[in-house]
Amino acid sequence: FPTRRSSDLTAKELAERYGVSCATIRSKMAAGEFGELVSVGERTRLVPWAGVQAYESTHTGMSTKRTSEKHKAVSHGNPGPI
């Protein structure tokens, strides 16, 4: 197995970078969103810096998800005695 380069990132490092869980990053890695992974050891997979750059180039900007009208908080005024 090749040794780890300083530019290769672990799932934990990527999770901290993007503010998500390690499981989320591992799912993205398995789905190929970071491109080809580097194997170091039997179970450890790392993301090369080029993979991080490629991911970030396709995932830039703020999320476009918006709360739908159906799920917005609604004030019902004074509900009376509870």
Side-chain angles (χ1 to χ4, degrees), residues 19-79:
V20 295
S21 71
C22 287
T24 298
I25 295 298
R26 281 192 216 97
S27 295
K28 290 179 179 293
M29 289 167 70
E33 291 189 41
F34 291 101
E36 196 164 330
L37 305 175
V38 176
S39 296
V40 288
E42 238 177 82
R43 297 176 55 191
T44 305
R45 306 286 181 266
L46 302 175
V47 177
W49 184 245
V52 174
Q53 291 175 314
Y55 175 82
E56 289 181 356
S57 72
T58 59
H59 293 81
T60 58
M62 296 295 290
S63 171
T64 57
K65 291 182 181 177
R66 297 185 189 269
T67 305
S68 70
E69 293 294 322
K70 186 176 173 183
H71 294 94
K72 283 192 176 176
V74 177
S75 173
H76 294 286
N78 184 353

Side-chain angles (χ1 to χ4, degrees), residues 5-27:
R5 295 179 307 219
S6 62
S7 61
D8 295 341
L9 299 173
T10 64
K12 182 179 179 185
E13 291 167 334
L14 290 169
E16 291 169 3
R17 180 180 181 92
Y18 299 123
V20 295
S21 71
C22 287
T24 298
I25 295 298
R26 281 192 216 97
S27 295

